[in-house]
């Protein structure tokens, strides 16, 4: 249960057709999936992390991000 329980699907995350250095490129996703990808060990993507940190304020507050990160780290 929780915001990170659902598997990747076209309903919650979309990927570009291209892959960069073995990492799938994200086109769009739910807030939970975007936060999950920031913390996903299987695909450590520093470029995505930087882009996420520069833009998250356009779709969520800092407190919302901290709440989701806390939930994610407690899994």
């Amino acid at each position: 249960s929780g915001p990170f329980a659902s598997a990747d699907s076209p309903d919650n995350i979309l990927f570009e057709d291209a892959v960069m250095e073995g990492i799938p490129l994200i086109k769009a996703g739910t807030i939970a999936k975007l936060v999950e990808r920031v913390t996903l060990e299987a695909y450590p993507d520093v470029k995505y992390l930087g882009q996420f940190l520069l833009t998250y304020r356009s779709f969520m507050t800092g407190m919302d991000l901290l709440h989701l990160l806390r939930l994610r780290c407690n899994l």
Side-chain angles (χ1 to χ4, degrees):
S1 70
F4 306 106
S6 60
D8 290 354
S9 77
D11 293 332
N12 58 29
I13 193 163
L14 298 174
F15 297 99
E16 297 284 344
D17 292 332
V19 174
M20 184 177 288
E21 298 177 9
I23 299 172
L25 300 176
I26 299 168
K27 184 186 293 189
T30 63
I31 291 174
K33 279 296 176 183
L34 296 176
V35 171
E36 181 181 298
R37 286 290 165 156
V38 165
T39 59
L40 196 62
E41 292 179 16
Y43 299 110
D45 187 350
V46 176
K47 185 175 179 180
Y48 172 69
L49 173 61
Q51 292 168 341
F52 179 86
L53 291 175
L54 286 172
T55 61
Y56 80 88
R57 290 184 185 139
S58 66
F59 53 88
M60 66 191 315
T61 67
M63 290 305 290
D64 291 336
L65 175 59
L66 287 175
H67 175 72
L68 286 172
L69 289 172
R70 184 172 160 240
L71 290 174
R72 179 79 173 136
C73 290
N74 285 331
L75 290 177

